[in-house]
């Protein structure tokens, strides 16, 4: 098999990243945009010793699970990997992905998940979007998303996963850039000014935030930009974020307010949150409430428990749990997020939540070993890379009765659960929650409890 070979292939399986898997004389081909059950014509793009990557050229016989993607640039854009898959099949894929990782990486056998919690409508759910700004081959200023594994911008001002206001905001920003001759950032030579446009929306409040990420500390004709943006219904906060680094990291460390408030507000359940440009806040507020309700259920709070919420962000889970706990301690490495968390606690009249700045793997051992603060329940909601082993060691020492682990990556979740279950904890239950429709990503919520001497969990 070599590059540019063309084959007809039946798609038999799918990778965790959403690529269809077909075989030619037993030799596997990985084909992006193919769906299980399709028969496709595919062209080999890269051949390895034991497998090859191929491009979908034509669907010869569509799967029962294939649908027409509503987005015209779904195949070019790197955002949605499985828009051609029906939502019912997508939920099955995500549930299987979680279970496969728990078995393959964690070595768990004989466990099951509660039915995955899906969305009513898997579009228009994102309350946040970050659009790179650049010039296309014709020299026109464009906004959109990067094509998969590249920094080539696919023009799209109205992503169907985002809110409808995104297009109106980007129209205003690009109009200002063209009118006032403001250059987009050029990654090749580090020149130009406007790098990205970050947009947030409060779903229940309707408040909008715009944050331009710029290669400088000021912009020309800022009054013209503000005038264009403030006419948009719901506009509440207009900011500049300074990022002069030659880096792929989007946000810089300094944010300057141009107009309005330095934050917007939104609700999850009965808790109101202030959200600043650099805050971590779940991107799907409707599904987040379902996820947090499940975390609260798993925590089993009676009002007498001390809870540690690690990687707490702006206190989203902390404040959700504080209504049912005796005391909640939140830990987060981003200082601005902790400021938001403390403000959110005050704004909601929550006095039994305290927040600490620092790495969870450093703060928790100090608080536990030096000050003797224990935990009845530990809640973990780490980034995609999962938990540091030092933190897991301390959690084992704390001997919390229950651990509620919320994860956006079931592979690192499985690894961390294996560590904990080898050291005195057992699987009780878990569930997938679809926060990211039309992508391969899925949240998982798991409950572990301290292992009694008469109980065990089977591992391979």
């Amino acid at each position: 098999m070599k590059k540019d070979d063309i084959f007809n292939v039946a798609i038999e399986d799918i990778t965790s990243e959403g690529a269809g898997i077909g075989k030619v004389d037993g030799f596997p081909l990985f084909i992006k945009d193919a769906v299980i059950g399709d028969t496709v014509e595919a062209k080999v793009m890269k051949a390895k010793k034991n497998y090859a990557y191929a491009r979908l050229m034509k669907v010869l016989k569509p799967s029962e699970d294939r649908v027409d993607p509503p987005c015209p640039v779904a195949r070019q854009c790197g955002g949605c990997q499985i828009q051609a898959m029906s939502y019912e099949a997508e939920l099955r894929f995500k549930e299987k992905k979680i279970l496969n990782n728990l078995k393959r990486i964690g070595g768990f056998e004989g466990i099951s998940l509660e039915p995955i919690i899906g969305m009513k409508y898997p579009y228009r759910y994102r309350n946040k979007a970050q659009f790179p700004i650049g010039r296309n081959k014709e020299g026109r200023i464009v906004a959109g998303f990067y094509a998969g594994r590249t920094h080539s911008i696919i023009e799209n001002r109205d992503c169907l996963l985002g809110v409808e206001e995104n297009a109106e905001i980007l129209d205003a920003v690009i109009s200002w850039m063209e009118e006032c001759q403001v250059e987009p950032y050029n990654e090749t030579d580090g020149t130009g000014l406007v790098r990205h446009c970050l947009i947030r929306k409060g779903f229940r409040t309707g408040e909008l935030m715009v944050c331009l990420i710029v290669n400088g500390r000021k912009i020309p004709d800022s009054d013209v930009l503000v005038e264009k943006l403030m006419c948009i219904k719901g506009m509440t906060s207009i900011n500049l974020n300074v990022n002069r680094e030659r880096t792929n990291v989007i946000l810089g460390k300094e944010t300057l307010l141009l107009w309005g408030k330095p934050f917007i507000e939104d609700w999850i359940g009965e808790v109101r949150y202030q959200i600043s440009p650099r805050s971590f806040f779940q991107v799907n507020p409707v599904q987040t409430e379902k996820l947090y309700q499940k975390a609260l259920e798993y925590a089993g709070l009676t009002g007498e428990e001390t809870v540690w919420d690690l990687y707490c962000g702006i206190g989203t889970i902390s404040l959700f749990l504080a209504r049912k706990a005796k005391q909640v301690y939140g830990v987060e490495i981003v200082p601005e997020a902790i400021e938001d968390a403390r403000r959110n606690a005050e704004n909601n009249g929550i006095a039994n939540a305290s927040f600490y700045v620092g790495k969870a793997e450093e703060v928790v051992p100090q608080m536990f070993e030096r000050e003797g603060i224990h935990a009845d329940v530990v809640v973990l909601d780490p980034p995609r890379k999962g938990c540091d082993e030092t933190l897991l060691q301390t959690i084992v020492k704390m001997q919390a009765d229950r651990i509620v682990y919320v994860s956006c990556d079931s592979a690192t979740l499985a690894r961390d659960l294996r560590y904990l279950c080898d050291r005195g904890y057992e699987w009780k239950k878990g569930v997938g929650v679809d926060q990211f429709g039309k992508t391969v990503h899925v949240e998982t919520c798991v409950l572990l409890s301290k292992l009694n001497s008469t109980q065990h969990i089977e591992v391979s």
Side-chain angles (χ1 to χ4, degrees):
M1 186 172 291
K2 61 185 184 300
K3 184 179 179 182
D4 295 331
D5 283 349
I6 295 177
F7 298 97
N8 293 350
V9 188
I11 305 301
E12 303 170 357
D13 205 347
I14 188 170
T15 71
S16 61
E17 295 305 310
I21 305 173
K23 293 181 179 179
V24 176
D25 297 329
F27 192 88
L29 294 178
F30 300 117
I31 307 168
K32 181 180 174 290
D33 303 310
V35 176
I36 294 177
D38 280 343
T39 299
V40 303
E41 181 184 283
K43 181 179 181 180
V44 175
M45 305 306 295
K46 184 185 293 186
K48 301 283 190 177
K49 182 178 179 181
N50 298 316
Y51 60 91
Y53 296 100
R55 174 181 294 164
L56 174 64
M57 304 302 289
K58 187 187 302 182
V59 178
L60 303 174
K61 181 181 177 183
S63 165
E64 292 181 355
D65 293 323
R66 173 170 284 278
V67 296
D68 291 329
C71 175
V73 294
R75 288 192 63 182
Q76 301 100 298
C77 177
C80 296
Q81 301 90 356
I82 51 176
Q83 211 178 109
M85 185 186 297
S86 73
Y87 192 53
E88 294 77 11
E90 178 180 336
L91 293 179
R92 293 196 302 270
F93 158 72
K94 291 179 174 179
E95 200 161 51
K96 182 180 177 182
K97 177 179 177 177
I98 296 169
L99 285 168
N100 283 348
N101 281 331
L102 289 170
K103 181 176 181 178
R104 181 176 55 86
I105 298 171
F108 292 95
E109 298 284 356
I111 61 172
S112 60
L113 296 171
E114 297 177 18
I116 189 169
I117 301 172
M119 305 182 202
K120 288 184 177 179
Y121 180 64
Y123 291 97
R124 299 295 188 194
Y125 61 81
R126 287 189 62 97
N127 59 13
K128 174 187 174 185
Q130 298 173 140
F131 294 87
I133 310 291
R135 289 191 183 274
N136 64 10
K137 293 179 181 179
E138 290 74 38
R140 187 166 49 85
I141 297 175
V142 295
F145 297 100
Y146 293 128
R149 304 182 188 278
T150 77
H151 270 212
S152 175
I153 298 174
I154 303 299
E155 185 174 7
N156 183 5
R157 301 186 194 182
D158 186 23
C159 171
L160 297 181
L161 303 190
V163 297
E164 293 176 339
E165 291 91 342
N166 287 344
E168 189 177 2
I169 290 169
L170 291 171
D171 288 348
V173 170
I174 291 177
S175 169
W176 160 73
M177 292 178 69
E178 292 172 339
E179 183 179 322
C180 300
Q181 299 183 329
V182 180
E183 277 297 307
Y185 182 70
N186 185 318
E187 289 187 346
T188 304
D189 58 18
T191 61
L193 186 61
V194 180
R195 302 175 69 131
H196 283 78
C197 181
L198 166 65
I199 303 171
R200 289 184 182 267
K201 181 180 180 180
F203 271 35
R204 281 171 58 179
T205 63
E207 295 182 345
L208 292 170
M209 169 184 286
V210 174
C211 182
L212 281 190
I213 295 89
V214 294
N215 181 34
R217 296 193 77 258
K218 60 182 180 178
I219 58 173
D221 301 299
S222 60
D223 56 328
V224 176
L225 175 65
V226 168
E227 185 177 352
K228 288 177 181 289
L229 290 174
M230 63 188 289
C231 295
I232 297 171
K233 183 180 178 181
M235 189 58 61
T236 303
S237 177
I238 304 174
N239 305 268
L240 290 182
N241 177 266
V242 180
N243 185 355
R244 290 171 163 169
E245 303 294 324
R246 300 286 290 270
T247 175
N248 290 335
V249 176
I250 294 176
L251 286 168
K253 296 180 180 179
E254 183 182 13
T255 303
L256 308 170
L257 181 67
L258 280 183
W259 176 86
K261 298 190 296 185
F263 57 83
I264 60 172
E265 295 185 310
D266 205 5
W267 295 75
I268 298 178
E270 299 173 3
V271 183
R272 178 166 54 100
Y273 298 91
Q274 287 186 3
I275 308 159
S276 58
R278 298 185 71 235
S279 295
F280 172 78
F281 192 72
Q282 293 278 9
V283 299
N284 185 334
V286 174
Q287 290 297 99
T288 294
E289 183 168 351
K290 297 175 185 177
L291 176 66
Y292 288 1
Q293 287 288 2
K294 188 58 68 172
L296 181 61
E297 173 194 324
Y298 283 7
L301 302 178
T302 65
E304 299 300 318
E305 293 84 5
T306 297
V307 179
W308 277 92
D309 176 18
L310 310 181
Y311 311 96
C312 70
I314 64 171
T316 46
I317 296 182
S318 303
L319 302 183
F320 208 79
L321 299 177
R323 299 169 301 153
K324 301 288 185 180
K326 180 180 180 180
Q327 179 68 41
V328 175
Y329 298 99
V331 182
E332 169 60 50
I333 193 172
V334 180
E336 295 93 336
I338 289 297
E339 291 175 13
D340 285 343
R342 290 169 177 160
R343 213 168 21 243
N344 288 329
E346 182 179 352
N347 290 344
N348 286 278
I350 296 174
N352 62 331
S354 302
F355 297 96
Y356 300 89
V357 176
K359 294 181 179 179
E361 58 267 27
E362 295 175 359
V363 173
V364 175
Q366 291 175 0
M367 297 293 288
F368 173 64
E369 294 169 6
R370 296 181 187 178
E371 301 186 31
I373 297 178
H374 75 293
D376 299 300
V377 178
V378 171
V379 177
L380 299 167
D381 187 7
R384 198 167 297 280
K385 67 179 181 179
C387 296
D388 186 277
E389 188 170 325
T390 304
L391 176 62
L392 295 176
Q393 290 172 354
T394 303
I395 291 171
V396 170
K397 289 179 185 178
M398 293 174 82
Q399 289 291 288
D401 293 328
R402 294 176 295 285
I403 299 172
V404 179
Y405 197 133
V406 176
S407 170
C408 61
D409 188 321
S410 55
T412 55
L413 167 71
R415 180 201 66 200
D416 292 347
L417 294 184
R418 177 74 276 135
Y419 183 97
L420 294 166
C421 287
D422 283 344
R423 291 162 177 81
Y425 284 88
E426 65 169 342
W427 170 284
K428 297 300 289 185
K429 50 189 172 181
V431 64
V433 181
D434 186 24
Q435 298 269 86
F436 314 105
K438 301 298 132 191
T439 80
V440 296
H441 304 297
V442 59
E443 292 274 334
T444 313
C445 184
V446 171
L447 171 64
L448 301 182
S449 66
K450 268 199 304 189
L451 184 66
N452 296 326
S453 58
T454 58
Q455 297 173 312
H456 73 282
I457 187 164
E458 184 182 350
V459 298
S460 61

